[in-house]
Amino acid sequence: MAPASVFEQVIEYANRTDPYRLYGQLREAPVSRQADGSYVVSSYREIVALLHDPRVSSDGRNLAFVPATQPAPDENSLGHSFIRLDPPEHDRIRRLVMRHFGPPHSPGKIDGMRPEMAEIISGLLDGIADQKQADIVGEIAHPFPVIVISQLLGVPREDEARFSEWADAVVESFGPSAADPAERRRVRTDALAALRDYLSGLADARRERPADDMISGFVTYNGPEGRLSPEEVVQTATLLLIAGHETTVNLITNGVLTLLRHPGVLERLRLEPELVIRTVEELLRYEPPVHFPALRAALDDITIEGTTIPRGAPIVLALAAGSRDPACIRDPEEFDPDRDPNEHLGFGGGIHYCFGAPLARLETQLALSEIFSRLENPRLIADPPPYRASASLRGPRHLQIEFDRVLPRGSR
Ligand code: HEM
């Protein structure tokens, strides 16, 4: 058997705790052809070029074949939501959805939720007030974004637990993995079907009786560009739930882990609370939740760095490797919140640049501020922590910490 390529080693679970040394090796060949016929791009400049190249498609239907390490696209997948569409369809839906989420039509939407979000995260910290140990993932980082996105969409509180279970099942099945592709596909299809049924019921209810939430906005708005079809509403709501879920969990958790590993930065954060803004930006570069975004397809032969990617070939953009590329980023292996400029690839780039970035930033800033102002003397119990299976959406499955006590709200 041929020895595993560097990329194959990256997706081996044993390397989940620290893929960064391997990313250094991967960048030695910025564009590398894999045995399964896909092309992995790992240097900052080339990734940025491809993110902005109209010959690169996010639509799985343009792939000549699906590489063995990826789940096959299926009927119910995110394959038809706007993250997996190209212009002009992508742009039309993204604009129609953005109306209800951010500028120019809803400029104060996310910042206006700040007090509610602060209340939710404070409540989660209150919930561990009697403890001296906690799992940051299970008790804080996981419930927080699910509650927020559910409230934004208009999902009733009592349904959140079911919601979160389905989203977890879908997320676990994303990206390259050595696990059995048929089994992954089955788990994903079942969870997506359940989400779909639930969301179409909710959309019907809002059509009858609109409320002040995004799903009501999706089903009622009709403008010069038309309206979202019932199918597009369900696809989009599913996408927002899933895209905004595990990613933010991982950023918050990676933030706690990284700050506990860098006590000097943590001390500064206590003295200069506004440093949290730059800290979150640096986390998106240094420990990003998304290592490989949706697989791309070459719409034409594309020659880059001396390699020709043939039409139809799958392209893997190694965002996390690009964000540590020493050719473009000074001292990339250093965790340095003072870094300026900080042009990371944590939210991707080009037309698919993360739609939820303002929400994700605010959630993570609020969570880290609250966690580190309320926990006295927090310490890691296990380092490294256990990781989730996915190499694409990488993050700890649990992060056990201990602390002397939980301070009351607002005490520092
Ligand atoms: C820390 C948290 C997050 C990270 C690291 C993250 C990262 C990303 C990345 C890398 C992409 C580009 C994907 C690609 O090019 O294929 C993306 C796209 C997207 N994200 Fe996020 N995301 C986060 C949170 C959120 C949240 C909270 C939401 C929803 C409210 C969201 C919604 C989306 C959507 C809808 C897209 C597709 C945009 C498009 O295709 O035009 N994300 N995100």
Side-chain angles (χ1 to χ4, degrees), residues 304-322:
I304 184 155
E305 270 289 296
T307 301
T308 299
I309 303 176
R311 180 182 176 157
I315 306 174
V316 176
L317 300 175
L319 298 179

Tab-separated table of all heavy atoms in Angstrom, residues 304-322:
chain	number	residue	atom	x	y	z
A	304	ILE	N	-2.597	26.821	-11.926
A	304	ILE	CA	-2.228	27.633	-10.767
A	304	ILE	C	-0.949	27.057	-10.171
A	304	ILE	O	-0.844	25.840	-10.001
A	304	ILE	CB	-3.409	27.707	-9.759
A	304	ILE	CG1	-3.082	28.627	-8.599
A	304	ILE	CG2	-3.901	26.353	-9.273
A	304	ILE	CD1	-4.305	29.220	-7.909
A	305	GLU	N	0.040	27.940	-9.935
A	305	GLU	CA	1.333	27.512	-9.381
A	305	GLU	C	1.915	26.340	-10.182
A	305	GLU	O	2.432	25.383	-9.612
A	305	GLU	CB	1.168	27.086	-7.914
A	305	GLU	CG	1.351	28.214	-6.926
A	305	GLU	CD	2.809	28.675	-6.823
A	305	GLU	OE1	3.655	27.878	-6.402
A	305	GLU	OE2	3.095	29.824	-7.216
A	306	GLY	N	1.776	26.414	-11.505
A	306	GLY	CA	2.386	25.404	-12.362
A	306	GLY	C	1.608	24.090	-12.459
A	306	GLY	O	2.017	23.178	-13.162
A	307	THR	N	0.479	23.975	-11.762
A	307	THR	CA	-0.319	22.736	-11.828
A	307	THR	C	-1.630	23.046	-12.540
A	307	THR	O	-2.253	24.076	-12.264
A	307	THR	CB	-0.639	22.225	-10.400
A	307	THR	OG1	0.586	21.984	-9.734
A	307	THR	CG2	-1.478	20.960	-10.423
A	308	THR	N	-2.043	22.157	-13.449
A	308	THR	CA	-3.343	22.358	-14.088
A	308	THR	C	-4.388	21.473	-13.410
A	308	THR	O	-4.256	20.247	-13.384
A	308	THR	CB	-3.264	22.048	-15.596
A	308	THR	OG1	-2.321	22.959	-16.167
A	308	THR	CG2	-4.618	22.239	-16.277
A	309	ILE	N	-5.389	22.151	-12.862
A	309	ILE	CA	-6.511	21.415	-12.259
A	309	ILE	C	-7.511	21.203	-13.392
A	309	ILE	O	-8.012	22.171	-13.961
A	309	ILE	CB	-7.157	22.233	-11.110
A	309	ILE	CG1	-6.110	22.591	-10.047
A	309	ILE	CG2	-8.340	21.475	-10.508
A	309	ILE	CD1	-6.624	23.476	-8.911
A	310	PRO	N	-7.785	19.940	-13.754
A	310	PRO	CA	-8.674	19.730	-14.907
A	310	PRO	C	-10.130	20.049	-14.594
A	310	PRO	O	-10.561	19.929	-13.443
A	310	PRO	CB	-8.503	18.249	-15.225
A	310	PRO	CG	-7.909	17.633	-14.031
A	310	PRO	CD	-7.271	18.698	-13.183
A	311	ARG	N	-10.838	20.430	-15.632
A	311	ARG	CA	-12.271	20.704	-15.516
A	311	ARG	C	-13.004	19.553	-14.817
A	311	ARG	O	-12.774	18.394	-15.157
A	311	ARG	CB	-12.813	20.900	-16.931
A	311	ARG	CG	-14.253	21.194	-16.963
A	311	ARG	CD	-14.693	21.316	-18.393
A	311	ARG	NE	-16.124	21.499	-18.356
A	311	ARG	CZ	-16.829	22.053	-19.303
A	311	ARG	NH1	-16.235	22.481	-20.392
A	311	ARG	NH2	-18.107	22.188	-19.179
A	312	GLY	N	-13.868	19.900	-13.886
A	312	GLY	CA	-14.653	18.872	-13.185
A	312	GLY	C	-13.972	18.332	-11.933
A	312	GLY	O	-14.601	17.649	-11.134
A	313	ALA	N	-12.664	18.646	-11.762
A	313	ALA	CA	-11.940	18.063	-10.615
A	313	ALA	C	-12.393	18.708	-9.307
A	313	ALA	O	-12.665	19.905	-9.259
A	313	ALA	CB	-10.439	18.253	-10.791
A	314	PRO	N	-12.462	17.905	-8.239
A	314	PRO	CA	-12.764	18.458	-6.909
A	314	PRO	C	-11.568	19.239	-6.362
A	314	PRO	O	-10.425	18.810	-6.510
A	314	PRO	CB	-13.011	17.212	-6.054
A	314	PRO	CG	-13.069	16.054	-6.990
A	314	PRO	CD	-12.339	16.441	-8.229
A	315	ILE	N	-11.862	20.377	-5.738
A	315	ILE	CA	-10.800	21.217	-5.154
A	315	ILE	C	-11.084	21.380	-3.666
A	315	ILE	O	-12.183	21.775	-3.274
A	315	ILE	CB	-10.748	22.614	-5.818
A	315	ILE	CG1	-10.616	22.491	-7.342
A	315	ILE	CG2	-9.610	23.450	-5.241
A	315	ILE	CD1	-10.708	23.843	-8.066
A	316	VAL	N	-10.061	21.086	-2.863
A	316	VAL	CA	-10.164	21.276	-1.411
A	316	VAL	C	-9.352	22.521	-1.060
A	316	VAL	O	-8.163	22.585	-1.370
A	316	VAL	CB	-9.571	20.047	-0.667
A	316	VAL	CG1	-9.571	20.277	0.841
A	316	VAL	CG2	-10.325	18.774	-1.029
A	317	LEU	N	-10.011	23.502	-0.454
A	317	LEU	CA	-9.284	24.717	-0.054
A	317	LEU	C	-8.921	24.576	1.429
A	317	LEU	O	-9.808	24.555	2.286
A	317	LEU	CB	-10.158	25.955	-0.283
A	317	LEU	CG	-10.599	26.192	-1.727
A	317	LEU	CD1	-11.571	27.368	-1.818
A	317	LEU	CD2	-9.390	26.435	-2.639
A	318	ALA	N	-7.619	24.491	1.712
A	318	ALA	CA	-7.171	24.268	3.092
A	318	ALA	C	-7.033	25.621	3.801
A	318	ALA	O	-5.933	26.145	3.993
A	318	ALA	CB	-5.859	23.492	3.092
A	319	LEU	N	-8.190	26.168	4.205
A	319	LEU	CA	-8.213	27.530	4.773
A	319	LEU	C	-7.278	27.675	5.975
A	319	LEU	O	-6.559	28.674	6.101
A	319	LEU	CB	-9.632	27.898	5.217
A	319	LEU	CG	-10.735	27.942	4.152
A	319	LEU	CD1	-12.067	28.313	4.797
A	319	LEU	CD2	-10.390	28.938	3.041
A	320	ALA	N	-7.291	26.672	6.860
A	320	ALA	CA	-6.497	26.801	8.095
A	320	ALA	C	-5.000	26.770	7.792
A	320	ALA	O	-4.204	27.383	8.505
A	320	ALA	CB	-6.876	25.689	9.062
A	321	ALA	N	-4.617	26.066	6.721
A	321	ALA	CA	-3.198	26.057	6.326
A	321	ALA	C	-2.836	27.422	5.739
A	321	ALA	O	-1.766	27.971	6.001
A	321	ALA	CB	-2.950	24.946	5.308
A	322	GLY	N	-3.758	28.003	4.961
A	322	GLY	CA	-3.511	29.319	4.357
A	322	GLY	C	-3.349	30.406	5.401
A	322	GLY	O	-2.512	31.303	5.265
